[in-house]
Amino acid sequence: MFFMIRSVIFLTGIVISILGAVLFAQRQEPSAAYFILTQRMAGPQFLSYQLYLPDGRTYRQMPPDFGTPLTWAPDGNGIFNLRDAGLYVYNIALGENRLVVEADMPTIPVGTLPSDYFIFPILVLSPDGSSYLFRADSAVYRFDASGENSKQIFATSGRVGFIVWDYNGESAIMSHTEADEQIFQPVKVNIYDYSQHDTSIYMPLFTNTMTFGVIEVSPTGWRVYPRNSGEGILLDFPEGIFSVVSWLSEELMLVSETDDFGPNASYRLYVMDVYTQELRKIAQPEGAGIPAAAAFKDDSVYTYSAPSPTQQYSALFEAPLDGGEPRVILENCYSAVYFDSESQSARRWQGEPAETIFLATEEQTYRAVYRYDFGDDAAELLFKTDGLTSRGTMDLSPDYRSLIVGNQDLGVRSGYHQRIITVNLEDGRTQEIVQDHAVSAVSPLIDRAVNVEELVMAGILLSGMGLFRRQ
């Protein structure tokens, strides 16, 4: 019996060692925890898509049936993409593009979407991240975040327009028309019982889900739903044109007041207590417009805004709540991103609580990337292009270690020379990923790596123990 146990230990160790050695020799992701989806901008495969590892190696050429990418699956294992036959999900591990929802869609050239799809979202993740709503032309579908268990929850003889989740994730709210009608009507559908339709609701003009709750505006006014609360709060603004800009903390919101919405409109900013609805005016640097994002830290409000709707650049401002003078931290910004630790992915910064944000700037056609830690006096320069470039893109890598920057160099050779590079956030080193490609999307952080070194060591240890006992 003991001889058999020792033999099993010895043989198990040998098998594990061999398996670890094979994985060590053949693995394609030695340190990759995410993928970069790019679109080729030149050459014979113009506008085709590729997956790259962060070290610059090509992981896979996407198949011809890969459509226009919409979003990455939350677990990082798939990419939802749209074709004229409906919605697909591309399985990265298997290299297969699987149909999720078969629906008649407009003819969609690769790399483009019809203009009305930018107006009305067509794929919306539930508040708890477990399922999606998908809007086809005349129907709405619900399916799991992995793309499984697709079911039609609503259909109309006309068109479907707006779709959102209810704040608690138990219902879908949408607008629709019937055949030969032009006016959209609202309806709420219970996702657990699709036969329950409520048409007596108001239709929100838009809904914005933020860290501290849901902001909703409708014909009856602004209404907010604090996180972990089933009750909505109707905001009672003073007379004037007020708007909610951002949810700063559990109790505080940033709101704006203006006299009109023209290109030269001026804005006054207030911090508002969600529960008492008391307004406290804060100072804005001269020329600052309506913020696109805002954050609250150490008794200061940080706003990211353009001077006016006609300006193409934004600036990061600080406004102390104690009445101190506001100041400009960084100007000429065209992009701001942060790392979301909860979803383990890089996102465009829209005021979410963060210790650090990264900003891309353009100054006299030179591009630069800065890091700003909230509360510091100035932003830190991380990277600047060597020569002239057109405006590019910037994404923070999901592992929080580098920036993925896409630029088009000017004057390097005839035409445009597009480059995708990574900027290491620890030492500032840059590495070119690929040329003549554009960044389409960056995956969430993928935790699927096998530590083959530990596997090999365990196999050697087990086989050694078995061999020692045998002797």
Side-chain angles (χ1 to χ4, degrees), residues 30-303:
S31 61
Y34 63 94
F35 294 104
I36 304 170
L37 178 66
T38 74
Q39 189 175 29
R40 184 184 294 273
M41 307 302 291
Q45 296 176 322
F46 182 62
L47 295 185
S48 63
Y49 290 97
Q50 288 80 31
L51 276 180
Y52 280 87
L53 300 175
D55 60 8
R57 289 178 299 152
T58 304
Y59 181 79
R60 183 172 291 131
Q61 170 77 33
M62 306 302 275
D65 64 345
F66 184 81
T68 299
L70 295 180
T71 187
W72 224 287
D75 61 3
N77 291 319
I79 307 173
F80 290 100
N81 57 100
L82 198 64
R83 295 185 61 84
D84 53 3
L87 180 71
Y88 291 74
V89 62
Y90 178 79
N91 187 300
I92 295 173
L94 300 178
E96 297 176 352
N97 208 25
R98 177 174 58 83
L99 183 65
V100 177
V101 175
E102 184 177 3
D104 292 332
M105 308 297 294
T107 301
I108 304 169
V110 174
T112 64
L113 281 176
S115 59
D116 67 333
Y117 284 84
F118 292 107
I119 300 173
F120 296 123
I122 63 173
L123 195 61
V124 187
L125 186 63
S126 64
D128 64 359
S130 64
S131 58
Y132 278 99
L133 294 177
F134 171 68
R135 175 184 72 88
D137 191 53
S138 59
V140 177
Y141 301 81
R142 174 182 175 263
F143 51 84
D144 298 340
S146 61
E148 302 289 343
N149 302 318
S150 173
K151 293 184 179 180
Q152 184 184 97
I153 66 172
F154 181 78
T156 179
S157 58
R159 292 193 63 192
V160 176
F162 192 92
I163 59 168
V164 296
W165 286 93
D166 197 7
Y167 68 95
N168 58 15
E170 295 180 355
S171 300
I173 302 174
M174 62 203 76
S175 64
H176 71 101
T177 64
E178 296 298 336
D180 303 325
E181 292 183 358
Q182 299 297 322
I183 299 177
F184 284 86
Q185 301 293 334
V187 61
K188 178 188 286 189
V189 178
N190 188 301
I191 64 170
Y192 302 110
D193 183 357
Y194 307 149
S195 64
Q196 293 187 23
H197 290 186
D198 182 3
T199 59
S200 63
I201 65 167
Y202 67 88
M203 185 178 71
L205 301 179
F206 74 83
T207 300
N208 188 9
T209 301
M210 305 190 74
T211 303
F212 300 107
V214 177
I215 301 173
E216 189 176 88
V217 62
S218 71
T220 61
W222 290 84
R223 186 180 295 270
V224 297
Y225 298 87
R227 183 180 55 185
N228 301 324
S229 172
E231 298 295 329
I233 300 174
L234 181 64
L235 300 183
D236 184 19
F237 288 122
E239 192 168 332
I241 305 176
F242 282 84
S243 302
V244 177
V245 175
S246 183
W247 206 319
L248 300 174
S249 69
E250 295 282 358
E251 296 85 17
L252 300 179
M253 308 188 78
L254 183 68
V255 302
S256 68
E257 180 189 16
T258 185
D259 299 322
D260 62 72
F261 293 112
N264 298 317
S266 60
Y267 295 89
R268 296 170 291 280
L269 294 181
Y270 301 84
V271 172
M272 180 179 188
D273 188 293
V274 175
Y275 299 99
T276 67
Q277 304 204 15
E278 177 185 358
L279 293 174
R280 182 177 178 182
K281 188 174 182 180
I282 63 172
Q284 271 272 78
E286 185 175 352
I290 185 70
F296 178 68
K297 184 177 177 62
D298 298 335
D299 292 328
S300 287
V301 176
Y302 296 85
T303 59

